Amino acid sequence: MAASTFCFALSPLSKIKCNVNIIYTLNKRTAFSGGLSKIKGVEKQVAALPERSSQGPRRPRREAGEPRTERMSVDQDWTAVYPTAKSFKQNAVPLPVRMGYPVKRGVPPEKKGNLELIKIPNFLHLTPVSIKKHCEALKPFCTEWPNALDSDAKCEEHFPIQVQSKDFVSAGPSLRNPKARIITLTVKLSSLNLDDHARKKMIKLSGERYNKESDTLTITTESCPLRQQNYDYALYLLTVLYHESWKMEEWEKEKTRADMEEYVWEDSPSQKNILETLLRMHAVEKCEEDGGVQKELLGRPEVEEYKDSVTKLKNEGENECNIQQYKDAVKKLLNI
Amino acid sequence: MKTWNAEAVLQALASTVNRDTTASNYVFQDDSYLTPRTSREFKLYYLSQESGRNAAKYFINTFPRYFQKDFAEPHIPCLMPETLELQIDEVSERALTECIQLRKVKAAVDMFDQLTQMGSPVSLDLTNDLLDLICLYGDQEPAQDVPPEQRTNDMGEKHDEIKIKKGRPRRASDFLKIVWGENNNAERIFNMMPEPNSCSYGALIRGMVKHGSIPKAFIMYNDMLNNQLTADVHTFNALISAAPYLKEKYSEKWDLIIDLLKQMAYQKVKPNVLTFNAVLKALQRCGALGRVQAFPVLNEMKALGIAPSLASYDHFLGIFYKAASQAQEHKEIIQEVLNEVSGKSFAAHDPDDVNFFMNTMKICLDTKDMEQAYKLQSLLDIGENWKLLGDSFHQSVYYGRFFNLLCMMEHVDVVLKWYRELSPSLFYPNSQRMRDLFQALDMDNRLDIIPQIWKDIKRMGHDNNTELVEEMLSLMAREKHKPEVQQSFAECALDVKTLYKQTDYGRVQLNWSASSLSSITLILLAAGRIQQAWEILMLFKVTNRVPSEYLLKQFLDCIQMNNNSEQAVALVQISASFCLPLTSHLIKRVQQEFELNEEQKNTLSQLESSLFE
């Protein structure tokens, strides 16, 4: 850089006491030239330093002009200044923004020459005004929204499957982005025609892809190289899941209690315990007509209540309401 | 189902964007340090970008083996290296075709000669292609491929045959103008041809017209007619454009053109827009006859269904508005023309299209017609017409003339609005335009804006123009203004003063003159800055300039307001040192209006007595 070499050369110069002030004696007589005698006239040192080019006075270093924000009027058209996504230009943005780690005992650095502001993405090209303009310009390309679909619920009802894909735009030598091939397919299981067994089987088959709270099945495919292929694959997976969950395999009959998704009271230890307790309480004849006594016992409303409360506790977890219900049921059952 | 083309969405979004009035041209970096501020810088930066691009292209094409890897997806063919060197080594027609495609004139001619010497005749089409190539470049290599030091001697001889107008400094275009030499390769090859067809004749005629050998072109044309061949529309266009140079008298020129047009009709060659443009351009050199025939030509053009291009209108106006003095006679013509073109979007059909805006604005300037100028300016906003404004030279001339007209005719608010809109994004006003602006400000009493305009002047680099600076200073110094305005003037004047100081680098930008010194002093006095005004007064002696009487009187008035008798006496001493006739008057005034002590009274009486010696 020219400036740095200038500094290096200057230190030996200062030791040479040349008569720098010759040309300034004229000015010394005038009242206003107070501090001129200290000026280091570079071109006068030509004789002392032969390597300095003797082509006359060096041109003054170019001054930075004023930023064009000074000339911007308050009611200018901002969409003309930032029509497309561009990096932050401190020359063109009339806002006194500051960004970065604060200078010691000071404030974050100003926008002039601030790399932090340039690195981050900005949305100066998407002000509400410009978005309105864009929407107006794009209206001729759009068709009317169908009148029948005027609420979200109706959209859900008629179009239960939603497919999402992403498009990427960037400046670079290549248009292609490998992330653009990913397809995400979401569907609510309630909108599918599933009976109880099919639903449970489907949930088991989908595993992590099923979200219990929102009852949505999400299938993400990215294994094929093209988006169209991924889309076809996702639909194929959905179809296969659906049909498979309706089928009943031989070995499914061997479903044990450990495979059950939810707690079933029949044939559970809790039922057995209650029966024993009740039998002991009522001191009924043992083992005669077990089936009938059991059924009669189980048919009682307190037992029903108890069954409900235990099922609830096991399925929904423990909370105030459930435990209260359990307590009441037990009390009734045991006549406390 | 409505369909759109591939870019329809982008075009729709682009239509929402207007021009940014504070930004410079889009090719430059948008930074306060890097944008060009004067027209000289603009040209320099623009050309340096172009030269960088050319250098890069040169490297890619010279060393194609390093640039084979293709990163672009999808493939961009124009970024890959081009083959500029001949690949085929043998002597054959294929090699000749390749030479012609790569536009290597000398190599093609050599190849042709070798082929004929070998005895294998070259086909008619290929020979015609070769003739086209030679005639296009006038038997020289295409200029940019051959650096000046490589041009051979025989090329150099042809360049000496150029006549240079006396008194005009040689321009680069003079050296590059190619002249049709005697016995050049095109004629030689043509004479060797057993059966030249109309294409061959056409190539030769057009080459001769392009490179200035017009009588030969007409001889060749007569040859062609004798051989019962029909020329095509391009040949006719060339002949028509050459006709005015063949004859001297207006009527003869016109008769020749009519003759050619009749032959065109007889041979059933359809004219195109370039034909009529050539006719109109020729009419510009036909004096009064041109004015008579201009309208019929234009009507004929429309009757044939050929839409006039901007060049047609440009030549048409050029027939009527040759000199500024004639402008008043034909006012309604420009109105008619502009009415006809307004609202239409034009495309480029003729290389002369770009002159339309520049020349028409000159006519508006000469006729002082603001309405037509606005019509012309609004034509630029329609469709793609801005592309026809031309390169930066044409653009700067056009906007310069427009601004000139505005300053003359319009109220200063309108002028300032256009000023902010046009500069510095579209053009860089030169110092003459800035003086026009000052006059406009003066006319409507808006001199308070001068300090802001001064900032612009400094930015554009006109601060080394003595006349401009002095005019500005005298405008500020002329009258009294409101106090805030006066203070801003004082700041501006002090800023100007720094220009007269010697910079660190030993150069002085401006030299003091009596008017600039007195203007600055008056401005500072009006703002009440007596000490600074005093410093300037001291400069008079140093620079050997004489202060005016008005200035000294004003100074004394100011001093009187502060009642500083020291300064008053010093002022009188200064006046005496210049031996001004005003001195005695000043002495009397000081003696009467100030309270003086003994010493001061003595000084004054000494001065008084020295006056009468």
Side-chain angles (χ1 to χ4, degrees):
Chain A
M1 283 281 289
S4 51
T5 51
F6 181 76
C7 292
F8 279 130
L10 210 46
S11 38
L13 286 181
S14 54
K15 293 183 192 147
I16 304 170
K17 290 211 171 66
C18 279
N19 216 349
V20 184
N21 301 327
I22 299 171
I23 52 169
Y24 299 112
T25 45
L26 181 65
N27 297 340
K28 264 194 175 165
R29 279 196 223 121
T30 61
F32 70 95
S33 65
L36 274 181
S37 48
K38 296 246 176 54
I39 294 172
K40 301 169 184 119
V42 174
E43 68 280 6
K44 287 295 153 196
Q45 312 292 344
V46 169
L49 276 183
E51 65 263 21
R52 171 86 58 195
S53 71
S54 52
Q55 283 183 14
R58 265 179 49 207
R59 216 170 284 146
R61 188 162 165 226
R62 179 184 162 105
E63 295 289 327
E66 51 165 29
R68 66 183 171 103
T69 52
E70 310 277 323
R71 290 196 289 280
M72 289 178 171
S73 63
V74 180
D75 55 352
Q76 72 169 341
D77 184 12
W78 181 252
T79 57
V81 183
Y82 262 85
T84 50
K86 285 193 284 209
S87 56
F88 182 85
K89 293 198 176 72
Q90 57 94 2
N91 183 35
V93 178
L95 303 169
V97 290
R98 291 178 171 270
M99 174 146 172
Y101 194 79
V103 173
K104 202 155 195 190
R105 282 148 152 255
V107 292
E110 56 173 6
K111 64 176 178 171
K112 198 165 176 190
N114 194 334
L115 192 57
E116 301 296 323
L117 281 165
I118 300 176
K119 287 197 288 195
I120 54 171
N122 66 60
F123 286 91
L124 292 162
H125 58 292
L126 289 178
T127 52
V129 177
S130 72
I131 294 182
K132 247 189 230 150
K133 276 196 196 173
H134 293 169
C135 289
E136 280 303 316
L138 290 176
K139 277 208 167 84
F141 298 97
C142 305
T143 51
E144 287 284 328
W145 183 259
N147 285 330
L149 291 175
D150 48 6
S151 70
D152 271 341
K154 282 199 190 156
C155 293
E156 276 285 330
E157 176 196 330
H158 293 284
F159 299 97
I161 301 181
Q162 292 181 348
V163 177
Q164 287 161 8
S165 62
K166 285 186 189 166
D167 286 291
F168 293 85
V169 176
S170 65
S174 169
L175 277 184
R176 318 290 179 212
N177 192 320
K179 289 194 263 192
R181 73 184 196 284
I182 302 173
I183 292 280
T184 309
L185 186 148
T186 48
V187 64
K188 275 206 157 83
L189 286 188
S190 50
S191 53
L192 293 174
N193 183 15
L194 296 166
D195 70 353
D196 188 43
H197 156 262
R199 188 190 154 87
K200 288 191 182 148
K201 183 164 178 185
M202 189 141 189
I203 292 173
K204 265 205 179 5
L205 282 173
S206 11
E208 274 183 359
R209 295 178 186 76
Y210 176 71
N211 182 344
K212 203 148 173 236
E213 273 110 60
S214 60
D215 191 32
T216 41
L217 168 66
T218 310
I219 299 176
T220 308
T221 41
E222 54 182 358
S223 41
C224 307
L226 297 180
R227 183 188 290 172
Q228 183 60 37
Q229 294 170 339
N230 277 323
Y231 175 73
D232 291 337
Y233 182 51
L235 284 179
Y236 161 76
L237 280 179
L238 183 64
T239 325
V240 159
L241 268 177
Y242 181 74
H243 288 298
E244 280 297 324
S245 58
W246 269 103
K247 279 194 215 160
M248 188 72 174
E249 300 282 344
E250 279 301 316
W251 41 265
E252 281 187 45
K253 294 195 186 88
E254 297 164 21
K255 193 174 181 185
T256 62
R257 179 161 269 275
D259 298 323
M260 298 283 185
E261 295 86 6
E262 52 184 17
Y263 182 75
V264 173
W265 200 67
E266 281 79 30
D267 292 334
S268 71
S270 170
Q271 189 190 33
K272 293 195 190 91
N273 290 341
I274 284 294
L275 271 177
E276 276 184 36
T277 320
L278 282 175
L279 283 171
R280 280 207 210 112
M281 270 170 54
H282 296 275
V284 182
E285 311 81 59
K286 288 177 208 167
C287 302
E288 277 181 28
E289 301 178 65
D290 268 322
V293 170
Q294 279 180 5
K295 273 199 193 113
E296 193 235 310
L297 276 175
L298 287 170
R300 286 208 216 150
E302 299 98 6
V303 181
E304 287 287 329
E305 253 187 70
Y306 181 73
K307 168 182 151 191
D308 281 334
S309 65
V310 171
T311 323
K312 258 202 196 151
L313 266 180
K314 292 274 184 180
N315 282 339
E316 290 170 20
E318 297 184 3
N319 56 24
E320 282 275 347
C321 180
N322 289 352
I323 296 184
Q324 190 65 28
Q325 215 176 349
Y326 181 71
K327 178 173 142 188
D328 295 332
V330 167
K331 273 196 198 165
K332 275 205 199 124
L333 208 51
L334 302 176
N335 291 330
I336 301 169
Chain B
M1 248 316 263
K2 193 171 173 204
T3 49
W4 293 271
N5 70 355
E7 291 129 27
V9 174
L10 285 175
Q11 282 168 350
L13 287 176
S15 65
T16 63
V17 176
N18 301 323
R19 196 176 67 83
D20 185 1
T21 51
T22 49
S24 57
N25 197 317
Y26 72 93
V27 297
F28 300 119
Q29 296 287 338
D30 194 359
D31 182 81
S32 50
Y33 193 82
L34 296 172
T35 52
R37 290 173 222 158
T38 69
S39 62
R40 202 175 136 264
E41 278 183 13
F42 178 95
K43 199 161 178 198
L44 188 67
Y45 293 5
Y46 194 85
L47 289 177
S48 56
Q49 280 208 341
E50 286 293 321
S51 89
R53 233 168 262 144
N54 288 344
K57 257 261 162 286
Y58 168 79
F59 276 107
I60 295 180
N61 292 333
T62 320
F63 304 104
R65 56 189 183 278
Y66 299 125
F67 295 97
Q68 294 298 334
K69 184 160 178 206
D70 189 13
F71 294 95
E73 173 69 48
H75 181 66
I76 303 175
C78 70
L79 293 183
M80 302 304 286
E82 290 169 12
T83 31
L84 287 184
E85 298 303 321
L86 297 166
Q87 309 278 29
I88 308 175
D89 261 339
E90 55 191 3
V91 176
S92 71
E93 287 207 347
R94 251 187 45 203
L96 183 55
T97 321
E98 202 203 1
C99 283
I100 295 176
Q101 257 187 340
L102 291 176
R103 304 199 180 196
K104 304 230 181 269
V105 177
K106 201 156 184 337
V109 170
D110 289 341
M111 181 71 60
F112 180 82
D113 289 333
Q114 282 178 342
L115 277 171
T116 41
Q117 269 174 9
M118 266 173 34
S120 54
V122 186
S123 71
L124 184 60
D125 283 337
L126 197 50
T127 323
N128 282 342
D129 285 341
L130 179 61
L131 280 176
D132 276 334
L133 179 68
I134 301 176
C135 295
L136 178 64
Y137 290 111
D139 209 13
Q140 318 284 340
E141 292 291 332
Q144 67 270 21
D145 284 357
V146 182
E149 55 270 14
Q150 281 184 21
R151 292 194 192 153
T152 57
N153 280 336
D154 49 335
M155 291 196 216
E157 279 162 23
K158 302 221 176 84
H159 288 171
D160 292 338
E161 295 169 33
I162 306 157
K163 56 178 185 344
I164 300 171
K165 283 191 203 153
K166 286 209 178 85
R168 190 165 66 102
R170 286 185 174 196
R171 287 203 294 209
S173 53
D174 285 341
F175 288 101
L176 296 174
K177 206 174 170 73
I178 303 168
V179 173
W180 187 263
E182 297 284 333
N183 299 328
N184 63 15
N185 287 318
E187 292 186 20
R188 181 173 61 85
I189 295 176
F190 183 78
N191 293 333
M192 284 195 323
M193 284 171 80
E195 273 195 33
N197 69 354
S198 57
C199 291
S200 337
Y201 275 104
L204 269 166
I205 293 175
R206 287 163 74 189
M208 286 173 183
V209 168
K210 182 174 176 183
H211 298 296
S213 162
I214 294 175
K216 268 198 200 170
F218 276 92
I219 296 172
M220 182 96 4
Y221 177 63
N222 284 329
D223 265 345
M224 193 174 176
L225 287 179
N226 290 341
N227 290 348
Q228 267 104 33
L229 290 170
T230 330
D232 68 349
V233 66
H234 305 291
T235 320
F236 273 113
N237 288 350
L239 287 169
I240 292 175
S241 61
Y245 297 98
L246 192 64
K247 308 281 184 191
E248 288 295 325
K249 289 175 66 170
Y250 296 157
S251 51
E252 285 178 13
K253 292 184 196 184
W254 180 241
D255 289 336
L256 180 55
I257 293 177
I258 290 282
D259 195 35
L260 283 167
L261 287 172
K262 282 197 185 133
Q263 284 175 19
M264 244 178 124
Y266 180 69
Q267 292 179 9
K268 306 225 187 319
V269 179
K270 272 193 164 306
N272 62 8
V273 66
L274 293 173
T275 320
F276 283 99
N277 286 355
V279 174
L280 284 167
K281 194 168 180 183
L283 280 176
Q284 278 185 325
R285 302 174 67 98
C286 288
L289 182 63
R291 289 195 280 278
V292 168
Q293 298 292 346
F295 275 101
V297 169
L298 209 55
N299 292 334
E300 177 84 19
M301 199 170 172
K302 289 180 200 165
L304 281 173
I306 300 177
S309 77
L310 281 181
S312 334
Y313 292 114
D314 181 38
H315 297 318
F316 185 81
L317 286 171
I319 297 173
F320 290 96
Y321 293 95
K322 270 220 206 51
S325 51
Q326 290 175 342
Q328 297 304 320
E329 299 160 13
H330 305 284
K331 263 201 176 137
E332 66 287 353
I333 293 190
I334 184 170
Q335 284 178 12
E336 274 184 46
V337 168
L338 280 173
N339 281 337
E340 196 170 310
V341 295
S342 60
K344 289 195 199 151
S345 176
F346 288 92
H349 289 296
D350 187 322
D352 290 329
D353 282 338
V354 294
N355 295 330
F356 172 75
F357 283 101
M358 201 170 83
N359 293 339
T360 315
M361 188 50 83
K362 178 150 200 305
I363 298 172
C364 294
L365 184 58
D366 291 335
T367 55
K368 305 233 186 327
D369 195 338
M370 203 62 234
E371 198 188 317
Q372 306 308 319
Y374 279 136
K375 267 198 217 164
L376 189 61
Q377 176 65 20
S378 61
L379 183 63
L380 269 182
D381 291 330
I382 297 175
E384 312 248 293
N385 290 348
W386 59 271
K387 292 186 186 172
L388 291 169
L389 195 48
D391 63 2
S392 63
F393 172 72
H394 289 95
Q395 206 173 344
S396 62
V397 171
Y398 170 79
Y399 282 115
R401 287 174 178 162
F402 183 49
F403 192 64
N404 194 354
L405 187 58
L406 278 171
C407 288
M408 272 202 280
M409 307 290 293
E410 284 280 10
H411 187 258
V412 73
D413 289 336
V414 177
V415 172
L416 284 174
K417 169 186 140 300
W418 278 105
Y419 174 68
R420 292 213 177 87
E421 201 172 301
L422 295 179
S423 91
S425 52
L426 283 175
F427 88 118
Y428 299 95
N430 57 11
S431 48
Q432 185 55 42
R433 299 285 87 77
M434 297 314 288
R435 291 172 78 171
D436 294 338
L437 180 61
F438 281 138
Q439 275 179 17
L441 290 177
D442 194 13
M443 268 203 293
D444 284 315
N445 237 335
R446 286 301 305 276
L447 293 175
D448 51 310
I449 306 183
I450 291 189
Q452 294 172 25
I453 309 284
W454 169 244
K455 273 206 283 191
D456 287 342
I457 291 178
K458 264 202 303 186
R459 191 188 67 229
M460 288 191 276
H462 294 312
D463 51 354
N464 51 8
N465 187 327
T466 328
E467 286 144 23
L468 183 62
V469 175
E470 286 188 10
E471 186 170 329
M472 186 181 80
L473 287 172
S474 52
L475 275 178
M476 284 201 282
R478 215 175 48 191
E479 294 146 3
K480 275 250 181 241
H481 295 269
K482 290 190 291 212
E484 324 69 74
V485 176
Q486 217 59 66
Q487 289 301 322
S488 69
F489 281 3
E491 293 297 323
C492 183
L494 288 173
D495 195 29
V496 174
K497 191 183 103 175
T498 56
L499 288 176
Y500 288 91
K501 214 162 62 159
Q502 212 164 21
T503 61
D504 298 355
Y505 305 91
R507 252 172 9 116
V508 172
Q509 217 164 346
L510 292 171
N511 288 315
W512 285 115
S513 75
S515 98
S516 50
L517 282 169
S518 23
S519 304
I520 295 192
T521 323
L522 285 169
I523 297 169
L524 289 170
L525 281 178
R529 304 193 191 192
I530 301 208
Q531 180 52 31
Q532 287 162 330
W534 197 258
E535 290 167 8
I536 309 275
L537 203 57
M538 295 294 125
L539 280 178
F540 271 102
K541 193 71 180 188
V542 170
T543 55
N544 286 330
R545 309 266 185 251
V546 180
S548 66
E549 303 195 346
Y550 178 69
L551 174 61
L552 290 173
K553 279 192 203 159
Q554 289 291 101
F555 216 117
L556 192 58
D557 290 340
C558 257
I559 296 178
Q560 191 181 24
M561 283 203 293
N562 293 351
N563 237 329
N564 189 335
S565 45
E566 275 280 340
Q567 284 185 342
V569 174
L571 186 69
V572 176
Q573 281 174 322
I574 291 175
S575 165
S577 66
F578 282 110
C579 304
L580 290 176
L582 186 61
T583 317
S584 53
H585 173 80
L586 280 179
I587 294 175
K588 287 205 186 63
R589 259 190 77 178
V590 172
Q591 283 171 337
Q592 284 165 7
E593 295 166 11
F594 285 81
E595 288 176 16
L596 302 165
N597 58 18
E598 276 305 314
E599 200 185 316
Q600 287 164 342
K601 282 192 193 152
N602 283 343
T603 330
L604 282 181
S605 46
Q606 269 179 6
L607 280 174
E608 207 169 354
S609 53
S610 68
L611 270 182
F612 292 109
E613 281 169 14

